[in-house]
Amino acid sequence: MNLILILITVFTTLILVRLMNISQLSAQLAGEDEEAEVLRDNKINSFLSFVLMIVGLVAIGYMTLRYSKFILPVAASEHGVKIDNLLWINFAIIGVVFVITQIALFYFVWKYQYRPGEKAYYFPHNNKLEIIWTVIPAIVLMVLIVTGLRVWNEVTMGDRSDGMVIQVYGKQFDWTARYSGKDNKLGASSFRMIADDNELGVDMNDKASADDIVMKEIYLPVDQPVMMEFNSRDVIHSAYFPHFRAQMNCVPGMTTNFYFKPTITTAQMREITGKPEFDYILLCNKICGVAHYNMKMKVVVVSKEEFKQWIQGGKQLGETISTTTAHVNTNGNVQNSLLP
Amino acid sequence: MEMNENINVQHGHTHEAHGHDEHHHHHKETFWNKYVFSTDHKMISKQFLITAIIMGFLAMFMSLIFRLQLAWPDEKFGFLESIIGKWGANGKLDPGFYLALVTIHGTIMVFFVLTGGLSGTFSNLLIPLQVGARDMASGFLNMLSYWFFLASSVVMVASLFVEGGPASGGWTIYPPLSALPQAISGSGLGMTLWLVSMVLFIVSALLGGINYVTTVINLRTKGLSMKRLPLTIWAFTITAILGILSFPVLVAAALLLVFDRSMGTSFYLSDIFIGGVPLEHVGGSPILFQHLFWFLGHPEVYIVLLPALGLASEVIATQARKPIFGYMAMVLSMAVIAFLSFIVWGHHMFVTGMNPFLGSVFVFTTLLVAIPSAVKVFNYLATLWRANIKLSNAMLFAVGLVSFFISGGLTGIILGDSALDINIHDTYFVVAHFHIVMGASAIFGMFAGIYHWFPRMFGRMMNKKLGYAHFWMTLVSVYGVFFPMHFLGLGGVPRRYYANTAYAEFDAFININELISVMAIIGGLAQLIFAFNFFYSIFKGKKAEQNPWNSTTLEWTAPVEHLHGNWPGPIPTVHRWPYDYGKPGAKEDFIPQTVPFEDTPESNHAGMH
């Protein structure tokens, strides 16, 4: 098999070499005028550039139409809609610039193709033009910066005290959620306290820990803001919720957060998309190891009543972890808690 | 002309003092000092180019392997086992090795092809020839620069053969993944070799960069003021300065990573529980690494792009038979881009948990880059307007570069907007963006350079017909591969996924992934045409004329046959800027830089240069 491949490669190369020799020799024999050849090549290639421009724009238009229903799934969070609107404004502007400049580029290549005896228009500089095409992009960009930062500030800053606190905890290669319970406060935790029955290393000496509930799925009540706090125990992961337009890295050694409000329940989304099996997902979007591509979790958005029922099905950590084991890791080493 | 030569003899003594000519006469040229331990910038540039081409093919081949996997995740490819052994057992690509391929593909393309290959080849070839110098300021350091580059290439390739596999944490090698062999097997010896290779590479880049800057500042020939430098030289100089300022930071980042990996320090590591045990590292920050990495990493984008833009500027002006529009604006915009490139790195880190206000600052600086970039694009378009365009192979590639620079630059506006980045960060949208704006643009600039200066390098011409086939196939395949990726990204498909089979929502994109892979294979075949044309033409190409493109710049005044010292007689003197193409009243449609104004009274009124 390999031998055949090698032989094919060698012979193809040899044949190509022969063909090249022949074509060069025949060109010399025919005594083809070099100027005529340049002219012919120029015509063919400038024509191709014109064709490419048309075909390219048609292909881009076709693909955009064909795939527009698959891109940007319906935004299921309050800020997601704003991000999408901002995105469309940006696309409109860059789309116009893209079409104009690409047409100009390939059209010029075709239109101003080499003609013997003609001379290019000597036009080395023009300060007025330079100023125009410095100032106009500057103005457009200022508009984009200001509109963009307005959305960014809304998404990332402001009062978030009404958010239901949920910890999203990444490790190779799965996710775990910890709900903060009635006090809406997550108990402290430390990687040194991780044990078989305490996957997240929650410090049971912290009073806030007892009512925390660890879950293997995320349920969110609709129209209830959530404050997600992200942690990782090993490498960097990234918690990406494409439908909520939400993403935040999970970094070992620090806590990050993302605040958002889901607005569409899973049931509603199944109707909107026409897919009865639809589910929101949380996926890992930062390379984290061999099974990175399978690190996902189901996310379900339900009504507030359904959420209450669901969360009652979970056990509070006070019931599942005893305070004594909390100080012992799987090695059996007794650790000093880093926390008071 | 005779008068000029007299002047040259008088002023040429400083150059003669370097003794290159004597050197040439006294020492017999052997195979070893001509081809291997050469200090001649022209030979070193060929060494860089050929090494980079080999590395480029390796990296391209890797991308084809993982494209097969991405398009046809359920198929088996029997030949994989015979190429990559245990990583392709039973015709299935190993998921860990998939990550290794992605990592090494990126590393080789960014550093070995588009940094070492691009700057190493063309800065070396063109700086002495276009500034009118006998050689680089230090031929010896230049030789070392290549040998460090080769050593680093060898180490990088060697890392493919270690048992745990090569580095597999992505080309950005974020710790803790890259620091912990427990987290991924490629972070063992493979990662160590990666780090060693990068440090060697940076030594090479610094030796090269210092040499380039020194040569441009000190060894310009008489009459060649900075305002008369070809844009290529401006681009190479600015690039070299970027490299000198930013690469050492990557060494620092890598060194701290080495300490964390093997000496138990905690610069980047903290609070880690892996393999069933808590690690002792406390107090470090993985985010610190990202700041250091991107402090190089972002300027690196322009280290890759600026030389390509410089080469394209030169080729476009030459083949459009028209001065580059807005020479000073072109220089200024490059300088502004270079300056801004140091204060935008945070846009790679919008979703790391960085303070949102800091994110806002990076949005502002990042989007500012679009202004000088727009100026450059409009200047290229103005150059083509009412030109008399000769579509040489190089010209087509330069036009392709401009097209990619526009397409990829525009999507950068979206990614640089932190609010929009939240949803498309690390998706295929990013992959599409950077492959078009820096990968394709830069490689097209490099191809433009190769086709244009091949006669200068090898004294022969490349075959035009094959060049045209190469260009059109490559242009179509690049757009065919990377344009559809925007849709994947907007659909939420993350990059660096071995397969999307676990995600029903991505099923709609299966066709796109197949299209991309087919296009990638076509693109790969096109590069075989190039490789054949390149190596064939070195030996059998048509003999080149002295100045095949009717260019104005100095490199075309040197004889076709290479000689150490570049010009047999005195170094030419420069009397004008490099873009006197199509000047009204002139006898021909170009006036070389060596022609004094006294000789061209008929055209002097037309330009101020």
Side-chain angles (χ1 to χ4, degrees):
Chain A
M1 174 68 187
N2 285 345
L3 191 70
I4 295 174
L5 277 178
I6 292 167
L7 283 177
I8 290 175
T9 323
V10 170
F11 279 116
T12 324
T13 318
L14 285 177
I15 290 167
L16 273 174
V17 172
R18 292 308 305 159
L19 282 176
M20 296 268 300
N21 284 338
I22 292 166
S23 82
Q24 269 179 10
L25 280 176
S26 63
Q28 277 168 21
L29 284 176
E32 191 176 12
D33 184 15
E34 214 168 303
E35 180 77 9
E37 196 194 330
V38 168
L39 209 58
R40 200 191 54 215
D41 286 346
N42 233 36
K43 272 209 176 112
I44 296 171
N45 283 288
S46 55
F47 175 72
L48 280 176
S49 109
F50 192 79
V51 171
L52 177 99
M53 176 186 93
I54 307 284
V55 173
L57 288 175
V58 170
I60 287 170
Y62 169 77
M63 279 201 86
T64 310
L65 284 178
R66 178 162 172 207
Y67 286 100
S68 56
K69 60 173 179 286
F70 302 119
I71 61 170
L72 290 180
V74 179
S77 65
E78 198 174 55
H79 76 274
V81 177
K82 290 176 193 157
I83 286 183
D84 283 7
N85 289 338
L86 179 66
L87 185 65
W88 289 120
I89 294 171
N90 272 264
F91 267 129
I93 291 170
I94 70 171
V96 169
V97 177
F98 174 82
V99 172
I100 292 175
T101 48
Q102 296 283 4
I103 288 181
L105 176 66
F106 288 102
Y107 174 76
F108 287 173
V109 167
W110 172 75
K111 165 86 178 166
Y112 301 111
Q113 59 181 286
Y114 172 70
R115 287 183 176 84
E118 268 187 32
K119 230 175 183 183
Y121 171 53
Y122 190 81
F123 188 45
H125 63 98
N126 180 317
N127 290 340
K128 211 179 186 176
L129 277 176
E130 298 284 4
I131 288 169
I132 290 174
W133 56 54
T134 307
V135 171
I136 292 180
I139 292 170
V140 173
L141 282 161
M142 284 309 144
V143 172
L144 289 180
I145 290 172
V146 170
T147 51
L149 288 183
R150 194 174 290 163
V151 175
W152 173 247
N153 290 344
E154 279 177 41
V155 175
T156 57
M157 295 186 223
D159 179 32
R160 286 114 159 276
S161 54
D162 60 344
M164 181 174 80
V165 176
I166 304 172
Q167 181 189 24
V168 173
Y169 186 89
K171 71 175 210 294
Q172 286 180 333
F173 295 95
D174 60 30
W175 298 100
T176 309
R178 174 160 59 123
Y179 286 76
S180 50
K182 289 209 178 66
D183 59 357
N184 202 29
K185 226 179 134 192
L186 291 165
S189 63
S190 161
F191 72 110
R192 295 196 191 278
M193 296 184 183
I194 292 170
D196 291 342
D197 66 342
N198 189 3
E199 226 189 341
L200 308 188
V202 179
D203 181 358
M204 295 313 292
N205 292 330
D206 187 347
K207 284 193 194 91
S209 302
D211 67 339
D212 291 357
I213 300 165
V214 171
M215 290 292 202
K216 277 292 174 189
E217 277 178 347
I218 296 179
Y219 271 60
L220 301 172
V222 70
D223 293 329
Q224 160 70 51
V226 285
M227 179 68 169
M228 284 195 175
E229 297 196 348
F230 302 96
N231 295 98
S232 161
R233 70 150 73 154
D234 39 37
V235 300
I236 300 177
H237 302 276
S238 187
Y240 178 35
F241 303 86
H243 304 92
F244 302 127
R245 311 290 189 263
Q247 176 165 208
M248 184 51 69
N249 288 172
C250 311
V251 186
M254 68 188 257
T255 301
T256 54
N257 61 55
F258 200 98
Y259 170 91
F260 67 97
K261 183 160 112 182
T263 52
I264 304 176
T265 63
T266 298
Q268 287 167 333
M269 201 61 161
R270 287 178 176 168
E271 267 174 48
I272 293 170
T273 57
K275 286 182 199 151
E277 315 85 49
F278 173 86
D279 268 312
Y280 293 114
I281 46 169
L282 156 64
L283 36 81
C284 181
N285 197 17
K286 182 64 78 187
I287 182 171
C288 66
V290 265
H292 170 53
Y293 67 107
N294 274 336
M295 185 169 160
K296 68 167 184 172
M297 190 192 224
K298 191 164 94 170
V299 180
V300 185
V301 180
V302 291
S303 69
K304 284 181 182 148
E305 294 74 39
E306 287 170 287
F307 177 76
K308 257 180 211 153
Q309 274 180 3
W310 176 81
I311 197 79
Q312 274 162 12
K315 284 199 171 155
Q316 298 193 346
L317 288 185
E319 303 166 27
T320 59
I321 308 174
S322 64
T323 42
T324 46
T325 57
H327 289 276
V328 182
N329 67 36
T330 46
N331 266 355
N333 300 329
V334 177
Q335 301 284 341
N336 293 322
S337 171
L338 294 171
L339 303 152
Chain B
M1 285 305 282
E2 256 173 51
M3 257 182 55
N4 296 332
E5 275 172 17
N6 288 336
I7 294 165
N8 274 330
V9 173
Q10 284 167 19
H11 291 269
H13 59 88
T14 44
H15 297 289
E16 301 303 326
H18 291 292
H20 289 296
D21 279 345
E22 286 92 311
H23 180 88
H24 181 66
H25 293 304
H26 289 302
H27 295 279
K28 218 178 117 211
E29 230 173 28
T30 65
F31 172 81
W32 288 100
N33 70 26
K34 184 173 178 194
Y35 292 106
V36 184
F37 297 107
S38 174
T39 55
D40 184 335
H41 70 101
K42 299 181 291 295
M43 182 56 68
I44 293 171
S45 101
K46 292 185 213 174
Q47 291 172 329
F48 267 108
L49 179 58
I50 289 172
T51 312
I53 287 177
I54 293 167
M55 293 297 276
F57 267 87
L58 180 63
M60 185 187 75
F61 185 67
M62 290 177 172
S63 71
L64 292 179
I65 294 179
F66 64 69
R67 274 319 313 178
L68 287 180
Q69 160 63 26
L70 288 169
W72 298 283
D74 301 323
E75 297 285 323
K76 288 187 172 176
F77 300 95
F79 63 90
L80 281 183
E81 194 164 356
S82 54
I83 303 171
I84 53 175
K86 66 172 174 176
W87 308 111
N90 303 320
K92 287 301 293 172
L93 180 63
D94 176 79
F97 199 66
Y98 165 83
L99 294 177
L101 288 176
V102 173
T103 303
I104 304 296
H105 165 82
T107 306
I108 292 183
M109 287 299 195
V110 170
F111 293 109
F112 293 84
V113 180
L114 295 176
T115 305
L118 189 53
S119 278
T121 304
F122 291 103
S123 297
N124 264 314
L125 178 73
L126 293 179
I127 287 178
L129 279 167
Q130 287 193 334
V131 304
R134 297 266 180 223
D135 205 317
M136 281 290 177
S138 166
F140 177 70
L141 288 188
N142 210 21
M143 179 184 83
L144 278 187
S145 162
Y146 172 72
W147 281 95
F148 273 103
F149 176 68
L150 184 69
S152 105
S153 306
V154 168
V155 174
M156 188 58 73
V157 173
S159 81
L160 297 172
F161 299 95
V162 303
E163 196 188 351
S168 347
W171 77 279
T172 53
I173 59 154
Y174 284 178
L177 186 61
S178 62
L180 305 172
Q182 308 96 301
I184 193 166
S185 69
S187 291
L189 181 59
M191 191 66 223
T192 305
L193 290 175
W194 193 98
L195 290 165
V196 169
S197 168
M198 277 324 293
V199 171
L200 291 173
F201 179 87
I202 292 165
V203 172
S204 156
L206 289 177
L207 289 173
I210 290 166
N211 230 335
Y212 307 149
V213 174
T214 312
T215 309
V216 172
I217 291 176
N218 292 314
L219 296 186
R220 279 169 290 126
T221 184
K222 186 175 182 312
L224 188 59
S225 62
M226 294 301 271
K227 281 174 86 175
R228 287 175 175 173
L229 284 181
L231 286 172
T232 36
I233 303 300
W234 271 111
F236 299 146
T237 311
I238 293 171
T239 303
I241 294 170
L242 281 182
I244 293 168
L245 293 178
S246 63
F247 267 122
V249 179
L250 184 63
V251 180
L255 200 62
L256 299 186
L257 184 56
V258 169
F259 291 161
D260 273 11
R261 284 166 55 80
S262 42
M263 298 179 197
T265 57
S266 304
F267 292 104
Y268 306 132
L269 305 177
S270 189
D271 294 28
I272 291 167
F273 184 96
I274 195 164
V277 285
L279 303 186
E280 291 306 316
H281 302 276
V282 174
S285 166
I287 303 302
L288 169 64
F289 177 85
Q290 296 185 22
H291 282 293
L292 293 174
F293 181 88
W294 288 113
F295 190 86
L296 155 90
H298 202 81
E300 169 65 23
V301 171
Y302 296 99
I303 290 173
V304 161
L305 192 55
L306 288 177
L309 290 171
L311 294 168
S313 303
E314 189 68 16
V315 170
I316 286 177
T318 307
Q319 303 295 3
R321 313 309 295 161
K322 195 165 173 281
I324 195 85
F325 182 83
Y327 173 86
M328 275 315 286
M330 288 302 237
V331 173
L332 275 176
S333 57
M334 280 197 281
V336 172
I337 288 175
F339 170 74
L340 288 174
S341 77
F342 278 106
I343 49 171
V344 300
W345 79 89
H347 68 226
H348 298 272
M349 302 166 61
F350 286 140
V351 297
T352 54
M354 191 166 70
N355 184 313
F357 177 71
L358 186 55
S360 308
V361 176
F362 282 120
V363 172
F364 182 73
T365 54
T366 301
L367 294 196
L368 286 186
V369 179
I371 299 170
S373 307
V375 169
K376 286 196 83 75
V377 167
F378 290 126
N379 282 355
Y380 284 131
L381 292 177
T383 307
L384 295 174
W385 179 67
R386 293 183 65 184
N388 198 24
I389 300 168
K390 284 185 170 169
L391 287 174
S392 68
N393 295 155
M395 181 63 173
L396 282 170
F397 276 101
V399 169
L401 175 149
V402 177
S403 175
F404 292 134
F405 186 54
I406 296 171
S407 308
L410 287 171
T411 52
I413 292 176
I414 293 194
L415 285 163
D417 196 327
S418 53
L420 301 177
D421 183 66
I422 293 170
N423 189 46
I424 46 180
H425 185 87
D426 266 340
T427 65
Y428 269 90
F429 196 89
V430 181
V431 180
H433 161 72
F434 72 74
H435 273 99
I436 292 178
V437 79
M438 107 179 201
S441 283
I443 203 79
F444 268 50
M446 190 163 166
F447 281 133
I450 293 172
Y451 281 103
H452 193 80
W453 280 282
F454 190 88
R456 188 61 278 183
M457 292 182 108
F458 297 100
R460 292 175 185 273
M461 309 294 284
M462 286 178 77
N463 182 288
K464 273 197 298 187
K465 300 285 188 297
L466 291 181
Y468 289 130
H470 174 217
F471 169 75
W472 288 107
M473 281 172 76
T474 310
L475 183 79
V476 170
S477 69
V478 168
Y479 269 125
V481 168
F482 298 112
F483 189 81
M485 283 188 187
H486 293 106
F487 297 108
L488 294 178
L490 290 169
V493 182
R495 64 193 286 206
R496 292 167 175 159
Y497 267 26
Y498 170 71
N500 299 324
T501 37
Y503 303 86
E505 44 275 273
F506 300 150
D507 285 350
F509 301 117
I510 288 173
N511 289 338
I512 289 194
N513 264 324
E514 288 176 0
L515 171 72
I516 290 172
S517 293
V518 170
M519 285 293 182
I521 292 166
I522 294 175
L525 291 175
Q527 306 323 303
L528 291 181
I529 299 179
F530 165 76
F532 172 76
N533 193 1
F534 181 84
F535 289 107
Y536 177 85
S537 303
I538 288 177
F539 301 103
K540 301 272 180 150
K542 204 175 85 181
K543 282 251 189 278
E545 301 160 36
Q546 167 101 29
N547 186 0
W549 317 116
N550 291 338
S551 291
T552 56
T553 38
L554 288 183
E555 76 272 29
W556 304 103
T557 63
V560 177
E561 289 300 328
H562 284 180
L563 51 97
H564 207 160
N566 294 337
W567 287 271
I571 295 174
T573 301
V574 165
H575 296 277
R576 58 180 74 226
W577 79 324
Y579 296 108
D580 264 347
Y581 292 104
K583 212 172 184 188
K587 291 183 199 105
E588 286 188 84
D589 74 343
F590 71 111
I591 309 172
Q593 280 187 285
T594 48
V595 176
F597 282 105
E598 302 94 271
D599 294 358
T600 58
E602 65 281 359
S603 65
N604 287 351
H605 62 279
M608 297 182 299
H609 294 278

